[in-house]
Amino acid sequence: MGGCVTTPPSEDPVLIKLTEMDDRLRKVERLADNQSLVELAGQIADIQSEIREIRGDVETLRYETEGAATRQRDQYLDIDRRLQTLEGTAPPVTASAGTASGFGGGPGASAATGGPVVAAPGAGGAAERASYQAAFDLLKEGRYEQARAGFEKFLAEYPGSDLAGHSQYWLGETYYVTQKYDQALAAFQKAVNQYPQSRKLPDALLKVGYCRYELGQYVEARAALNTVLERFPESTAARLAGQRLDRMQSEGR
């Protein structure tokens, strides 16, 4: 009887085929592993990029927040200084035979000591000044909406008053200090246009420039601030205008 012929493993076509398939499968698995690593590396790179962007956004936000806080602090310091100035230099309200009461609330000098004695105004004058003072007191207390209503009421009732220019200016301040720059700009511009003889004209022009700055209207802001320097070179408003112009230059605006 003849025996079966045994094919060596190295020559077995089935085994060879299985071996080839196994090799191919391993190559595919290695490629898959490599592809996963590539994708993972890409994801890591994307995450790192996003982290850098977030850090940049945080730094930008921090800068803007600090800048806003600085501007707000400057605004409050500015209005406080101006309020104190007005209180110290305002004319007296009433006077009796012996005393005169300062407009800002300070005591006046008596006639016996040689100080100024101002004749008591008529009923209309007293009511006018009381209306103005009431609005001004609200402004000093930080009650800006009530102060705004008070100044608007004063302007409606006493449009020809000597204090109308002041009232229009402080109306603008009630908007400015609360960062309502569009409304503030309109109020300050009205103070400039309608009350050119007011002592608050330099300050109103200055605040027109400030509002333009806050609104990003840098060309107009620079023009307004330069107007203050040209028309009122010796005033405090001119000094503040110069400081803001220097700041704009350092900011590249």
Side-chain angles (χ1 to χ4, degrees):
M1 292 179 62
C4 295
V5 179
T6 303
T7 303
S10 59
E11 298 178 2
D12 188 342
V14 175
L15 186 58
I16 292 173
K17 191 67 174 179
L18 288 173
T19 302
E20 290 176 353
M21 291 179 64
D22 184 67
D23 291 339
R24 290 173 61 189
L25 179 59
R26 290 179 180 177
K27 289 180 180 179
V28 170
E29 289 176 344
R30 285 197 298 271
L31 288 173
D33 290 341
N34 291 338
Q35 185 65 30
S36 297
L37 290 174
V38 171
E39 291 176 356
L40 181 60
Q43 292 174 1
I44 292 173
D46 291 341
I47 292 172
Q48 290 174 336
S49 177
E50 291 176 2
I51 290 174
R52 285 194 296 270
E53 291 178 1
I54 291 172
R55 285 176 176 170
D57 291 341
V58 169
E59 289 299 321
T60 300
L61 182 60
R62 182 181 300 163
Y63 173 80
E64 292 175 349
T65 301
E66 291 175 351
T70 299
R71 289 194 298 273
Q72 188 174 39
R73 183 173 62 252
D74 290 344
Q75 291 164 11
Y76 278 103
L77 291 174
D78 179 60
I79 191 172
D80 182 69
R81 180 187 62 78
R82 293 173 187 279
L83 287 169
Q84 292 181 22
T85 299
L86 183 59
E87 286 183 294
T89 60
V93 180
T94 60
S96 63
T99 62
S101 175
F103 181 67
S110 68
T113 61
V117 177
V118 181
E128 174 185 320
R129 291 178 180 274
S131 176
Y132 177 89
Q133 188 67 49
F136 189 73
D137 288 342
L138 289 168
L139 180 63
K140 289 190 295 181
E141 294 169 6
R143 299 163 63 184
Y144 301 119
E145 290 187 6
Q146 295 93 325
R148 185 178 306 140
F151 287 122
E152 289 174 342
K153 181 175 182 291
F154 178 88
L155 289 167
E157 293 180 350
Y158 308 104
S161 169
D162 291 341
L163 294 171
H166 284 70
S167 189
Q168 182 64 43
Y169 173 83
W170 293 117
L171 175 61
E173 285 285 6
T174 67
Y175 287 114
Y176 184 82
V177 77
T178 53
Q179 301 182 10
K180 297 178 180 179
Y181 299 118
D182 284 316
Q183 296 95 320
L185 175 60
F188 288 129
Q189 193 65 62
K190 188 173 182 179
V192 171
N193 295 338
Q194 293 193 6
Y195 305 100
Q197 303 304 317
S198 172
R199 288 185 301 168
K200 300 302 292 181
L201 179 61
D203 297 323
L205 278 169
L206 176 71
K207 284 303 176 68
V208 167
Y210 279 13
C211 289
R212 296 284 191 187
Y213 173 88
E214 297 296 345
L215 292 169
Q217 301 169 3
Y218 301 121
V219 174
E220 294 86 349
R222 189 175 294 278
L225 296 171
N226 279 320
T227 298
V228 177
L229 291 175
E230 293 167 3
R231 295 183 59 181
F232 309 99
E234 302 301 322
S235 66
T236 300
R239 178 177 58 80
L240 294 172
Q243 291 176 357
R244 182 56 62 94
L245 286 168
D246 290 342
R247 173 177 167 182
M248 291 177 67
Q249 183 174 1
S250 67
E251 294 172 343
R253 294 172 174 170

